[in-house]
């Protein structure tokens, strides 16, 4: 397959903003792709080479891209740079300069580029490391560009600099796979489940193309392929929680730490974060604990990693784990900020996939898979059948330094719902007891420049919720308070790499701002109340026609939710739920 086929399709995809059209174009591309290349084409269309959890980036700086383009086009770097400043898009600049390229180049007549060659070259670039890496990458890239048509060069350069941004979200790929290989959109749920338990869209694409829908239905969890985490709904009172569970549930301490999914095979252990990034390097001490205390040979287990005061045995706040997010000096941080693991789920143990088993069966498997110790133990739990006991256990959890409780269904249907936020788990947190609403995690989609004392920093950030159905981000508030001087100084730096020239295609906003961002950074926000709003687009029309929902008096809590991807932010539906329960509370009081 030639790369030009992909480039042609990208051009069409780029020209549409309609998701259905985008899906149709993707279906055509996937159908035209031989099975053996499907995984690669799926990764490429999302600007990647491997699934995210591998953490592999091509990593070509703009400077190198300009240099490679200069060599391939025979033009001066300064000329290219001037054009790039105007266009703001390295792809467009490449297309322009290569269109003017003389027929014969230093490298002889161009050969046509196959997908295989493009992929393998980019992969070599991604894996080149050490002192000669910059030069190696440069010559590999120059080689590709020399054989590329202007259009191909445009997409190659956008890919290597991390600017492909066709706007093809995972959900669109899943729809396209269902149509292309599953017999229709209805097949999407099976394909989505396979994706939820493997986090590898490329692999799922190949399996469904090769084995059809029956094959994909049999897909099982696999050690070292991270499973997308099961998430909880929320309710504000013990009575409502018990009602929802039909009078009985397991209440478990909700530890305030970092969620960890551990994968173990023999002596090899990998830790994945809530957003499925490998974080083994941050917790070598936790890895040792797992090696010593997880007795199962093979396992995928989940738990919360909590900062501890080892002298008093008390739990420390979540923020302390931030000190573990560093490349150097981790040994020192281990001593200063020790951690313990509180385990709460088993997804796979010694050859058996437990994700379809009810919770109590999984908990038993978890118990059998570990040899308890002070530092690696089971999450504390209690089977409750009345609101009084649930309240009492909640108070105990708070007393012990937890955020509250995770209440879990014990019904036969209480399977592990990978990647879903559902009613099998319900969280019960302290915040509900105060006058204020619970905190929410919102995504930064825009910013307004600061004036006066805030000159040079942002005055306010435009924040959005995630609408899972439309796969878009909907504005819900402007956030300007709660920032320390340090926050104000670091935010522009942190957000710069997500700047886009105009409103991002996945952002729904009626407001204008000074700077737009690709939705990527989530911040924890506490507001005073949720109100109907004619200007914010969050959950538009769902409570009243022509109205969205807005959060009033928002305040940054100081928590950067770096453990969350933009799609893990609070959803518009959750805001609707919160709005309704707030109304109920007012009606009751
Ligand atoms: P929050 O914003 O409230 O921390 P979240 O949006 O990150 O929550 P939720 O699904 O709403 O995710 O809350 C579940 C989180 O609580 C889990 O991701 C996990 O990290 C943590 N947790 C702590 N104790 C438990 C437990 N016993 N069982 C399940 N999850 C737990």
């Amino acid at each position: 397959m030639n790369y030009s086929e992909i480039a042609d399709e990208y051009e069409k995809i780029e020209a549409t903003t309609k998701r259905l059209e985008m899906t149709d174009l993707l279906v055509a591309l996937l159908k035209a792709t031989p099975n053996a290349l499907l995984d690669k084409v799926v990764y490429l269309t999302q600007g990647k080479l491997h699934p995210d959890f591998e953490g592999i980036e091509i990593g070509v700086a703009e400077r190198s891209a300009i240099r490679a383009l200069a060599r391939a086009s025979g033009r001066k770097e300064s000329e290219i740079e001037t054009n790039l400043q105007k266009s703001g898009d390295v792809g467009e600049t490449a297309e322009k300069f290569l269109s003017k390229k003389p027929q014969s180049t230093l490298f002889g007549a161009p050969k046509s580029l196959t997908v295989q060659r493009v992929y393998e070259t980019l992969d070599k670039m991604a894996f080149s490391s050490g002192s000669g890496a910059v030069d190696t990458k440069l010559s590999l890239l120059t080689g590709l560009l020399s054989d590329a048509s202007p259009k191909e060069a445009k997409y190659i350069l956008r890919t290597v600099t991390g600017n492909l941004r066709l706007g093809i979200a995972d959900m669109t790929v899943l729809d396209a796979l269902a149509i292309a290989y599953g017999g229709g959109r209805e097949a999407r749920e099976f394909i989505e489940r396979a994706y939820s338990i493997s986090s590898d869209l490329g692999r799922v694409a190949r399996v469904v193309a090769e084995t059809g829908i029956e094959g994909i239905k049999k897909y099982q969890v696999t050690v070292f392929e991270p499973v997308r985490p099961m998430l909880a709904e929320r309710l504000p009172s013990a009575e409502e929680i018990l009602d929802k569970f039909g009078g009985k549930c397991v209440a478990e301490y909700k530890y305030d730490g970092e969620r960890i999914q551990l994968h173990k095979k023999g002596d090899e252990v990998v830790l994945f974060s809530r957003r499925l990034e490998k974080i083994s390097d941050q917790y070598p001490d936790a890895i040792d604990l797992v090696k010593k205390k997880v007795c199962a040979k093979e396992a995928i287990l989940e738990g919360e990693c909590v900062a501890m005061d080892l002298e008093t045995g008390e739990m420390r706040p979540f923020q302390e784990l931030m000190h573990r997010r560093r490349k150097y000096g981790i040994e020192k941080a281990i001593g200063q900020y020790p951690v313990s693991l509180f385990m709460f789920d088993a997804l796979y143990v010694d050859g058996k996939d437990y994700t379809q088993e009810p919770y109590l069966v999984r908990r038993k498997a978890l118990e059998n898979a570990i040899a308890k110790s002070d530092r690696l133990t089971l999450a504390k739990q209690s089977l409750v059948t009345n609101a009084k006991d649930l309240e009492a256990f909640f108070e105990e959890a708070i007393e012990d330094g937890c955020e509250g409780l995770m209440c879990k269904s014990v019904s036969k249907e209480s399977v592990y719902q990978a990647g879903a936020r559902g009613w099998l788990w319900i969280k019960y947190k302290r915040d509900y007891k105060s006058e204020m609403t619970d905190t929410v995690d919102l995504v930064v989609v825009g910013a307004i420049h600061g004036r006066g004392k805030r000159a040079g920093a942002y005055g306010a950030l435009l924040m959005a919720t995630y609408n899972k159905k439309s796969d878009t981000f909907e504005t819900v508030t402007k956030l300007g308070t709660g920032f320390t001087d340090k926050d104000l100084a670091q935010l522009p730096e942190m957000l710069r790499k997500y700047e886009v020239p105009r409103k991002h295609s996945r952002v729904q906003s009626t407001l204008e701002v000074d700077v737009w961002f690709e939705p990527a950074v989530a911040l924890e926000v506490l507001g005073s109340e949720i109100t109907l709003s004619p200007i914010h687009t969050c959950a538009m029309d769902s409570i009243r026609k022509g109205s969205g929902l807005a959060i009033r008096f928002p305040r940054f809590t100081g928590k950067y939710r770096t453990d969350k991807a933009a799609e893990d932010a609070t959803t518009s539906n959750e805001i609707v739920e919160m709005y309704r329960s707030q109304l109920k509370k007012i009606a009751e009081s």
Side-chain angles (χ1 to χ4, degrees):
M1 183 182 195
N2 282 329
Y3 187 72
S4 59
E5 287 182 57
I6 293 194
D8 288 342
E9 216 61 33
Y10 284 177
E11 195 169 52
K12 290 185 215 154
I13 289 174
E14 219 176 13
T16 177
T17 48
K18 298 197 190 85
R19 183 153 165 214
L20 283 183
E21 251 173 50
M22 203 184 257
T23 312
D24 288 345
L25 291 165
L26 195 56
V27 169
L29 176 61
L30 295 178
K31 277 189 172 161
T33 306
N35 286 357
L37 277 180
L38 252 185
D39 45 355
K40 299 185 172 68
V41 169
V42 165
Y43 300 134
L44 284 172
T45 38
Q46 293 193 307
K48 305 172 192 168
L49 298 174
H50 296 275
D52 285 340
F53 64 82
E54 298 286 2
I56 293 160
E57 282 178 16
I58 312 172
V60 170
E62 199 170 84
R63 182 103 301 283
S64 298
I66 293 172
R67 193 158 293 165
L69 184 54
R71 290 188 190 174
S73 62
R75 302 283 286 272
K76 285 207 202 81
E77 280 180 41
S78 55
E79 265 181 286
I80 295 176
E81 216 169 324
T82 312
N83 181 277
L84 180 55
Q85 264 161 14
K86 255 191 272 153
S87 77
D89 168 17
V90 71
E92 230 171 77
T93 300
E95 190 171 30
K96 178 155 183 252
F97 278 79
L98 287 176
S99 316
K100 296 180 189 155
K101 183 171 75 164
Q103 274 306 298
S104 78
T105 66
L106 208 59
F107 300 87
K111 299 185 243 68
S112 69
L113 281 183
T114 61
V115 175
Q116 187 84 13
R117 178 175 160 208
V118 172
Y119 182 88
E120 278 168 11
T121 312
L122 300 188
D123 207 36
K124 256 192 226 155
M125 289 166 65
F127 279 96
S128 56
S129 60
S131 56
V134 174
D135 287 340
T136 312
K137 284 185 186 182
L138 186 60
S139 65
L140 287 167
L141 184 57
T142 309
L144 272 188
L145 293 181
S146 304
D147 287 338
S149 70
K151 199 195 289 178
E152 288 170 332
K154 168 162 121 185
Y155 293 110
I156 289 174
L157 271 192
R158 282 188 189 166
T159 304
V160 298
T161 52
N163 289 306
L164 186 64
R165 302 204 179 119
L166 292 174
I168 301 180
D170 293 351
M171 295 303 151
T172 314
V173 179
L174 289 171
D175 275 342
L177 284 172
I179 298 166
Y181 295 109
R185 226 173 259 274
E186 318 75 65
R188 144 100 184 251
E189 66 172 294
F190 305 108
I191 303 173
E192 186 169 355
R193 182 184 133 76
Y195 176 46
S196 291
I197 60 173
S198 68
S199 311
D200 186 341
L201 210 45
R203 194 163 124 83
V204 166
R206 261 186 89 159
V207 173
V208 69
E210 281 164 7
T211 65
I213 205 64
E214 288 313 312
I216 209 77
K217 279 185 189 166
K218 292 197 199 106
Y219 202 95
Q220 298 224 328
V221 291
T222 312
V223 180
F224 303 132
E225 284 182 7
V227 179
R228 293 173 67 209
M230 172 165 179
L231 302 170
E233 283 287 352
R234 45 179 124 199
L235 279 176
S237 74
E239 288 81 7
E240 283 170 86
I241 293 174
L242 274 168
D243 264 4
K244 198 81 184 177
F245 286 133
K248 185 162 106 179
C249 70
V250 155
E252 226 165 68
Y253 273 18
K254 185 176 191 304
Y255 298 91
D256 189 15
E258 172 157 26
R259 187 176 189 148
I260 289 219
Q261 190 176 96
L262 69 88
H263 288 234
K264 175 179 188 270
K265 191 176 234 169
D267 233 11
E268 204 179 333
V269 177
V270 176
L271 306 183
F272 290 101
S273 70
R274 184 189 187 288
R275 54 190 301 184
L276 310 182
E277 283 163 342
K278 285 186 185 165
I279 48 168
S280 310
D281 290 350
Q282 292 173 30
Y283 299 109
D285 45 347
I287 299 249
D288 281 346
L289 272 174
V290 172
K291 283 186 186 164
K292 284 195 201 118
K293 299 295 176 190
V294 174
C295 41
K297 277 203 187 66
E298 291 189 8
I300 305 176
L301 310 178
E302 274 194 327
E304 195 83 351
C305 178
V306 182
M308 298 295 290
D309 182 330
L310 293 185
E311 274 166 28
T312 61
E314 277 172 7
M315 289 186 249
R316 308 283 309 150
F318 165 83
Q319 275 82 348
E320 293 207 347
L321 295 178
M322 289 295 163
H323 299 283
R324 293 295 194 101
R325 284 177 201 272
R326 53 169 74 183
K327 275 218 169 99
Y328 307 102
I330 193 76
E331 286 304 323
K332 196 167 154 216
I334 290 175
Q336 282 177 325
Y337 304 98
V339 295
S340 286
L341 296 179
F342 296 91
M343 307 306 299
F344 56 74
D345 222 316
L347 315 190
Y348 173 88
V349 181
D350 288 334
K352 180 164 168 54
D353 181 335
Y354 280 93
T355 52
Q356 298 300 313
E357 298 290 342
Y359 181 55
L360 292 180
V361 174
R362 302 204 304 278
R363 172 83 180 193
K364 193 85 209 140
L366 176 64
E367 227 175 298
N368 293 336
I370 66 175
K372 275 180 263 172
S373 78
D374 284 354
R375 306 280 298 279
L376 188 149
T377 174
L378 291 169
K380 190 165 172 183
Q381 64 166 215
S382 166
L383 186 71
V384 290
T385 50
N386 66 66
K388 209 166 123 264
D389 291 350
L390 186 54
E391 269 310 325
F393 197 54
F394 175 78
E395 294 303 336
E396 196 184 317
I398 298 290
E399 191 85 346
D400 282 347
C402 287
E403 273 190 306
L405 295 176
M406 272 300 237
C407 300
K408 301 184 176 179
S409 163
V410 289
S411 76
K412 281 211 251 7
E413 288 78 39
S414 58
V415 297
Y416 188 92
Q417 290 179 319
R421 194 181 288 283
W423 291 103
L424 293 174
W425 284 6
I426 303 176
K427 55 183 169 179
Y428 184 27
K429 294 208 313 195
R430 178 163 43 187
D431 314 299
Y432 296 116
K433 308 220 88 187
S434 74
E435 286 302 300
M436 287 178 287
T437 45
D438 186 18
T439 58
V440 285
D441 300 318
L442 304 177
V443 184
V444 187
V445 295
I448 296 158
H449 292 312
R451 302 208 182 102
K453 258 189 12 207
R454 290 246 179 125
Y458 294 134
L461 300 176
L462 183 60
M463 308 299 291
T465 50
Y466 178 56
N467 182 329
K468 195 165 176 207
K469 195 147 169 245
S470 59
D471 191 30
T472 57
F473 293 85
E474 302 175 330
T475 72
V476 70
T477 199
K478 270 191 207 164
L479 177 65
T481 38
F483 297 114
T484 60
D485 289 346
K486 192 167 158 225
D487 291 324
L488 290 173
Q490 74 184 21
L491 273 166
E493 213 172 290
M494 185 185 230
L495 290 166
R496 186 163 303 128
K497 61 174 175 246
Y498 302 110
E499 255 183 61
V500 284
R502 56 194 80 86
K503 188 169 69 186
H504 192 273
S505 57
R506 289 169 74 201
V507 171
Q508 303 285 346
S509 173
T510 60
L511 293 165
E512 279 306 319
V513 288
D514 297 323
V515 196
W516 288 106
F517 301 111
E518 176 190 345
V521 175
L523 305 179
E524 190 182 75
V525 173
L526 186 63
S528 67
E529 59 174 338
I530 300 168
T531 57
L532 288 169
S533 156
I535 54 168
H536 284 290
T537 54
C538 171
M540 183 55 88
D541 297 335
S542 57
I543 301 280
R544 186 187 298 159
K545 200 146 179 42
S547 275
L549 290 174
I551 294 177
R552 289 187 72 205
F553 305 121
R555 179 176 194 82
F556 178 44
T557 65
K559 229 183 199 179
Y560 291 88
R561 294 302 308 250
T562 42
D563 58 329
K564 285 194 170 182
E567 290 80 4
D568 298 325
T570 301
T571 60
S572 304
N573 273 343
E574 284 179 88
I575 300 285
V576 171
E577 294 279 341
M578 289 167 88
Y579 177 75
R580 291 210 171 110
S581 78
Q582 178 188 295
L583 283 189
K584 224 158 81 188
K585 260 203 244 168
I586 295 169
E588 280 163 7
S589 62

